[in-house]
Amino acid sequence: MADSSTISYTENLLKYMKLDQKGSVMAEYVWIDGTNGVRSKTKTLSEAPKSVDDLPEWNFDGSSTGQASGENSDVYLRPCAIYPDPFRGSPNILVLCECWDSDGSPNKFNYRHEAARLMEAHKAHKTWFGLEQEYTLFDQYDKVYGWPKGGFPGPQGPYYCGVGTGKVFCRDIVEAHYKACMFAGVKIAGINAEVMPAQWEFQIGPCEGIDMGDHLWMARFLLHRVAEEFGAKISFHPKPISGDWNGAGLHTNVSSEEMRKPGGMKHIEAAIKKLEGRHKEHLEVYGSDNALRMTGAHETASYDSFNWGVANRGASIRIPRSVGKEGCGYFEDRRPASNGDPYQITGIMVETIYGGLEPEKFESK
C-alpha cells in the first residue's frame, strides 16, 4: 500500500501497462479549464485515428471546471491536435482539445479559436514563436522543493544553470519531462535550472502560428503529469516567493519572415513601436499577478512603463546582441508572466503587429 495518496508507484503499474489492448486505443482528451489549468479524461477508441478528423467530439461537466453553470453544464471537446502518449505508450494518444458551448460558440475560456483565426489571416508573414516557460517546484505540502524547513537557502547566484547537490533540486522530474516531450513530438528546444533554487525553465519552439500554443499547453500538461508521479507540484505563479528572489516569466521570442531577411531590423523596430502603443492591452492578457514580478528588479522591466534595448534583460523588449549586429532575426518580449496563456500572448502579438479581425458571428443551435 502506498504511503502517500499523491505519489504513484509506477513499478506496480507496469505489469498492467504491458497487457494486450486487443486492438483498442486509449485517447487522453486534454483541455484548458476555467482556472488556466489543464484537465483530462480518457476515451476508448476501436482503432487508431489517422487524423483529428477521425476523432469524435466529447463533452464534460463544465460546472466542475469553472467553465459553465450548473443549469447548463455541458461543454464540448473538439479535438485539434494529436500527440503520442509517453505514459501509456503506442498506440495510445494524447488529444489536445478546444472547448465549445452547446450554442455552437467557443467557451469563454477557449482562447485558441481566436488565436487560430489571427494566425490563419496573417499566415503570409510566417511568424515563428519561441516561448521560455519558467516554473517552480513545490512539495505536496506547498513548500518549495528542497528548501530548508522553516528557512531559506543561500542567496541567488549559484543556482542558475547550476550543477551539483545544493545547487539544483528535482532534476529527475526535469529530465523525465524532457524525454516525455520528445516522445510526444512536442517541440521542446532545451531546459535549464533558473536563478531561484527549485525554479526551472524549458523552451518550446520555434513553432509557426497556432502550433506554438498547442505545443506549450501540451508541454505544461506533460509537466504536471510527470510531477504527479514524483509527488511534486508545479507552480506557474510569476512571483511564488516574495522578497529577494527572481520571479517566473514566459519570455516570448517573435520572428516574421520579413524580420529574418537582411534588413529585417526595420521590421523589428516597427513591430516594437506598435507594441509600445498597446502596452496596457498586452499586459491585460500577459498573465495574472504579473505586477508582483515586474518591479524593475530581478531582470524585469517596470510594469507601468515600456522600454526596449539591445541585450538588456531589464527591458520590456530585448533585442539579442547578435540580432543587433546582423541587422535581422527576432526580438524577445520579456513581459509575459509564467502563467500567461500562450494563445492569448501569441494572438495579441500578431493582432498588434499585423491587424485585428472583425468579430466572428455564431449561429445559435
Side-chain angles (χ1 to χ4, degrees):
M1 194 71 178
D3 295 329
S4 169
S5 61
T6 61
I7 300 176
S8 300
Y9 285 82
T10 308
E11 289 184 7
N12 295 337
L13 179 64
L14 286 178
K15 60 184 177 183
Y16 301 103
M17 299 300 287
K18 295 174 183 177
L19 295 177
D20 186 4
Q21 296 180 195
K22 307 297 184 183
S24 294
V25 173
M26 301 163 79
E28 191 75 9
Y29 279 46
V30 179
W31 72 94
I32 299 102
D33 67 13
T35 64
N36 200 41
V38 284
R39 307 273 181 142
S40 73
K41 63 177 185 172
T42 312
K43 189 176 189 66
T44 302
L45 307 176
S46 59
E47 60 183 3
K50 294 183 174 64
S51 72
V52 290
D53 296 330
D54 297 330
L55 290 165
E57 280 192 14
W58 207 6
N59 62 73
F60 65 92
D61 172 15
S63 69
S64 296
T65 63
Q67 292 171 270
S69 60
E71 64 272 11
N72 187 20
S73 63
D74 284 358
V75 178
Y76 296 86
L77 294 170
R78 294 186 182 179
C80 52
I82 298 174
Y83 302 85
D85 188 338
F87 305 108
R88 293 167 171 151
S90 181
N92 305 301
I93 57 175
L94 305 175
V95 181
L96 185 65
C97 302
E98 284 190 13
C99 296
W100 289 71
D101 291 334
S102 58
D103 64 359
S105 64
N107 184 263
K108 62 182 178 180
F109 298 105
N110 176 358
Y111 301 120
R112 184 185 189 277
H113 179 71
E114 185 62 21
R117 289 183 68 221
L118 285 160
M119 300 301 174
E120 178 64 24
H122 300 298
K123 64 182 179 182
H125 298 283
K126 298 180 180 178
T127 307
W128 295 354
F129 298 97
L131 268 59
E132 305 169 27
Q133 177 69 75
E134 295 177 334
Y135 62 95
T136 309
L137 289 154
F138 284 75
D139 66 22
Q140 57 187 304
Y141 305 108
D142 295 320
K143 304 297 182 184
V144 184
Y145 221 107
W147 284 31
K149 291 183 179 180
F152 296 90
Q156 295 182 154
Y159 311 111
Y160 173 69
C161 296
V163 177
T165 301
K167 296 180 181 178
V168 293
F169 304 94
C170 295
R171 192 184 290 274
D172 48 0
I173 294 176
V174 177
E175 293 289 337
H177 173 247
Y178 202 164
K179 292 295 289 285
C181 284
M182 285 183 160
F183 182 92
V186 171
K187 292 182 180 178
I188 187 166
I191 57 171
N192 61 268
E194 267 302 332
V195 177
M196 188 181 84
Q199 186 185 75
W200 289 82
E201 174 185 297
F202 63 87
Q203 304 91 35
I204 300 293
C207 296
E208 187 171 331
I210 199 64
D211 282 351
M212 184 67 259
D214 289 352
H215 282 252
L216 188 76
W217 269 116
M218 186 51 65
R220 285 177 173 177
F221 167 79
L222 292 172
L223 182 58
H224 282 296
R225 186 63 179 74
V226 167
E228 188 183 300
E229 298 190 8
F230 290 86
K233 295 181 181 180
I234 304 299
S235 171
F236 292 116
H237 194 281
K239 190 67 174 179
I241 303 296
S242 60
D244 194 18
W245 303 101
N246 273 36
L250 185 60
H251 301 155
T252 300
N253 300 281
V254 184
S255 177
S256 67
E257 187 173 49
E258 299 91 341
M259 296 175 191
R260 293 189 291 273
K261 291 180 178 179
M265 183 61 75
K266 66 181 180 182
H267 295 284
I268 292 174
E269 291 178 353
I272 293 173
K273 182 83 172 169
K274 292 179 180 178
L275 292 172
E276 181 177 13
R278 299 190 73 200
H279 178 61
K280 183 178 180 181
E281 290 92 331
H282 277 248
L283 289 179
E284 287 175 354
V285 298
Y286 272 11
S288 60
D289 294 321
N290 204 12
L292 299 177
R293 163 182 163 265
M294 293 185 64
T295 62
H298 302 109
E299 301 181 68
T300 68
S302 170
Y303 186 83
D304 297 316
S305 60
F306 182 95
N307 66 325
W308 66 278
V310 175
N312 183 0
R313 281 180 162 76
S316 308
I317 304 291
R318 180 183 73 94
I319 295 177
R321 191 169 298 283
S322 61
V323 173
K325 182 178 180 180
E326 296 170 9
C328 60
Y330 69 99
F331 66 87
E332 176 192 41
D333 189 340
R334 296 179 60 81
R335 295 172 295 170
S338 49
N339 59 9
D341 185 299
Y343 296 132
Q344 289 185 291
I345 294 167
T346 58
I348 196 172
M349 185 68 69
V350 168
E351 178 185 83
T352 296
I353 298 174
Y354 301 117
L357 305 175
E358 289 293 322
E360 193 172 10
K361 295 180 180 179
F362 299 93
E363 293 184 6
S364 298
K365 294 183 178 180

